[in-house]
C-alpha cells in the first residue's frame, strides 16, 4: 500500500506539473488581465492537484518508516 501512495502521488504530481507548464506557456500570449485570471485558475486547480500529489508521496514515505 505504501508504494501505491508513492506511485499515485508521483503520477499525479508529474501530470499536474506538465499541465501547469502547458497552460503557463499558453498564458504568455494573453493580455495581462486575462493572464491574472489564468494564473488564479492554475493555482486554484492545478496547484491543489500538485499539492495532493505531494501529500500522497509524503504519506507513502511516512508509512514506509
Amino acid at each position: 500500500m505504501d508504494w501505491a501512495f508513492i506511485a499515485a502521488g508521483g503520477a499525479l504530481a508529474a501530470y499536474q506539473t506538465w499541465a501547469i507548464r502547458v497552460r503557463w506557456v499558453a498564458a504568455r500570449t494573453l493580455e495581462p488581465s486575462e493572464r491574472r485570471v489564468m494564473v488564479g485558475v492554475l493555482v486554484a486547480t492545478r496547484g491543489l492537484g500538485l499539492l495532493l500529489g505531494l501529500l500522497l508521496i509524503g504519506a507513502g514515505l511516512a508509512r514506509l518508516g
Side-chain angles (χ1 to χ4, degrees), residues 25-48:
V25 169
R28 284 193 230 166
T29 62
L30 299 174
E31 296 192 21
S33 60
E34 292 175 337
R35 193 174 312 136
R36 278 193 300 271
V37 171
M38 175 69 92
V39 169
V41 169
L42 279 175
V43 169
T45 58
R46 300 296 177 180
L48 290 176

Side-chain angles (χ1 to χ4, degrees), residues 1-62:
M1 185 64 147
D2 308 327
W3 291 107
F5 278 137
I6 294 171
L12 180 60
Y15 171 73
Q16 296 298 345
T17 302
W18 171 81
I20 289 169
R21 176 72 180 144
V22 167
R23 282 155 183 83
W24 184 258
V25 169
R28 284 193 230 166
T29 62
L30 299 174
E31 296 192 21
S33 60
E34 292 175 337
R35 193 174 312 136
R36 278 193 300 271
V37 171
M38 175 69 92
V39 169
V41 169
L42 279 175
V43 169
T45 58
R46 300 296 177 180
L48 290 176
L50 179 61
L51 181 63
L52 176 62
L54 295 175
L55 286 172
L56 284 171
I57 293 171
L61 291 174

